[in-house]
Amino acid sequence: MTDDLATLLRHEADALHVPGAPAYDIVSAGQRRRRRRRAARAVVAAGLVTAVGIFASGLSWGHHSGSDHFEPADAGVLSGTEPTFTAKTIRLTPQVSVTLEQRPVIQLYSSAGLVVLTSPPDDPHQRPPYHLSLINAQGTRNDLGVTLSTSWVSAEYDQPYVAWAVPTTHGFEVVVRDLTTGRDVAQVPVDVRGRHPMPSHHGLVISLDGDTVYATAQGGGYAIDWRTGDVTDAPLLSIGRVVGVHGGRVLDYQAHQVKDVATGRLLLDIGPHGNGSLSPDGRYVLVTRDSGAIVVYDVQTGTRVRMSATFGVWGWTPDGRPLGLVSDDSRLVTCDPVDGDCTGTAYPSGRQLALPGESGYAVQIGVTG
């Protein structure tokens, strides 16, 4: 069964460590440049969404406007995979798996492979020291040689980078590494003296999104352009309100709305009855209703469609398909976010599977059988 909102947000936040609150400047320029690859077909729809502020209660059921065909996002080597894990074993597909020496804490999608943060094998609380590994499409693990004292780490489905933050005396430092070369391409110090939010023991949630690393904190956050070093305050990014940034969008759990992270503009209202999760590219939002129905909205057009399967544990594949665990008949299903059709593969009865949450944390765990 789906974690309720309070449990979901608490698990996301408790796995971390955070800062405190400021005014809205946020990044503009070209931080989401290539992400606008879908803009050409969405210009007219975007105008309609902006004008009426589309609400879930008034949306139409069915296929997308202008197309009934789902176009998978380009997730590099992870395209077509369905990552899950059981204890220390990670499965990219039913045929490809790898068993690690340490317990996975976070699975992060990148175009170069699956980035995995692990903790010591005998620690049930998944505490530091943490280590980073990269798993390629063949299931081969490469140690990235990174040891962290916090779980402030992120990657993005269509980029070959991983980003993390380390606490400093006056704030934190963001590091971005190129997974294809093994070299750090950015180190940006964030000095929070005299500004809010201030770092605290609750930690940060790091989101790599294009040229920007977003730091979600207690009471607000930061937008860090890792190419230029510019840092701006982002009040919308507050732990307990949002989890991560995807395609320049956030799901505001308090308002039950999808918003533009840079402007705060309302893009979609999903209604108060149910939990949600943005797809890795921000195109779709999956919502589980109190009735048990699972629907997926196209954020740009507002079109919604009901999934043909009902699953209590869910996530997303790297290329943007809903991924769910159907406990009743021990199936892991993937769904088409456009027509709602779900197909599945059987897993052995009694096996415990974990799917990555919105920011990669294994907050959703289901037992089949």
Side-chain angles (χ1 to χ4, degrees):
M1 115 183 3
T2 305
D3 292 334
D4 59 30
L5 177 58
T7 301
L8 175 64
L9 294 174
R10 185 174 65 253
H11 284 197
E12 289 281 1
D14 287 349
L16 323 171
H17 302 353
V18 180
Y24 214 94
D25 253 288
I26 300 198
V27 156
S28 337
Q31 63 190 48
R32 294 185 313 282
R33 66 287 101 228
R34 78 192 185 330
R35 211 181 254 19
R36 297 307 140 207
R37 53 181 169 268
R38 61 181 179 275
R41 69 170 184 265
V43 171
V44 175
L48 292 174
V49 172
T50 304
V52 298
I54 291 187
F55 286 81
S57 59
L59 298 177
S60 61
W61 291 94
H63 299 305
H64 285 193
S65 301
S67 173
D68 60 359
H69 177 66
F70 169 59
E71 297 179 5
D74 183 4
V77 302
L78 292 183
S79 293
T81 63
E82 305 168 359
T84 64
F85 59 94
T86 304
K88 300 176 188 176
T89 299
I90 291 180
R91 286 177 173 77
L92 296 179
T93 69
Q95 295 77 34
V96 179
S97 65
V98 58
T99 299
L100 308 178
E101 296 177 357
Q102 296 191 336
R103 186 182 302 275
V105 178
I106 305 175
Q107 291 186 102
L108 300 167
Y109 301 149
S110 80
S111 63
L114 191 70
V115 178
V116 181
L117 185 79
T118 60
S119 68
D122 298 322
D123 184 358
H125 302 292
Q126 300 181 338
R127 291 172 295 202
Y130 300 111
H131 301 93
L132 283 176
S133 297
L134 179 68
I135 298 175
N136 65 21
Q138 291 73 44
T140 301
R141 169 190 169 274
N142 294 306
D143 187 343
L144 297 181
V146 178
T147 300
L148 301 173
S149 61
T150 70
S151 55
W152 304 350
V153 62
S154 179
E156 189 180 18
Y157 77 99
D158 64 347
Q159 291 200 102
Y161 303 117
V162 60
W164 63 85
V166 294
T168 61
T169 302
H170 302 300
F172 58 95
E173 181 178 66
V174 169
V175 180
V176 179
R177 175 168 295 186
D178 187 328
L179 293 166
T180 62
T181 65
R183 296 179 179 178
D184 295 344
V185 293
Q187 292 178 303
V188 183
V190 180
D191 190 331
V192 302
R193 287 177 294 180
R195 65 197 298 178
H196 296 284
M198 295 294 290
S200 76
H201 66 283
H202 296 291
L204 299 172
V205 177
I206 299 297
S207 298
L208 176 61
D209 193 58
D211 292 344
T212 305
V213 173
Y214 293 96
T216 300
Q218 196 77 27
Y222 298 99
I224 302 108
D225 188 317
W226 60 267
R227 294 190 184 276
T228 67
D230 293 338
V231 178
T232 53
D233 296 331
L236 183 60
L237 302 181
S238 176
I239 287 180
R241 185 173 182 178
V242 303
V243 174
V245 181
H246 302 275
R249 297 164 175 172
V250 294
L251 177 58
D252 186 330
Y253 286 95
Q254 291 182 0
H256 306 283
Q257 297 170 340
V258 180
K259 298 178 179 178
D260 183 284
V261 68
T263 65
R265 178 170 61 92
L266 171 63
L267 301 176
L268 180 74
D269 192 310
I270 64 174
H273 303 295
N275 298 326
S277 173
L278 280 171
S279 62
D281 58 6
R283 282 190 296 174
Y284 305 103
V285 59
L286 180 150
V287 179
T288 58
R289 296 299 185 196
D290 292 342
S291 64
I294 297 174
V295 298
V296 171
Y297 293 85
D298 182 305
V299 175
Q300 197 69 55
T301 67
T303 303
R304 61 182 176 180
V305 64
R306 183 175 299 185
M307 301 297 99
S308 65
T310 299
F311 34 88
V313 180
W314 40 264
W316 292 92
T317 63
D319 56 13
R321 293 168 292 145
L323 178 67
L325 182 63
V326 182
S327 298
D328 292 345
D329 56 6
S330 302
R331 285 187 304 140
L332 183 71
V333 299
T334 56
C335 304
D336 188 313
V338 174
D339 63 22
D341 184 46
C342 298
T343 58
T345 54
Y347 272 75
S349 178
R351 172 166 290 164
Q352 189 177 65
L353 300 176
L355 308 182
E358 188 175 345
S359 58
Y361 293 91
V363 298
Q364 300 167 327
I365 298 177
V367 181
T368 64

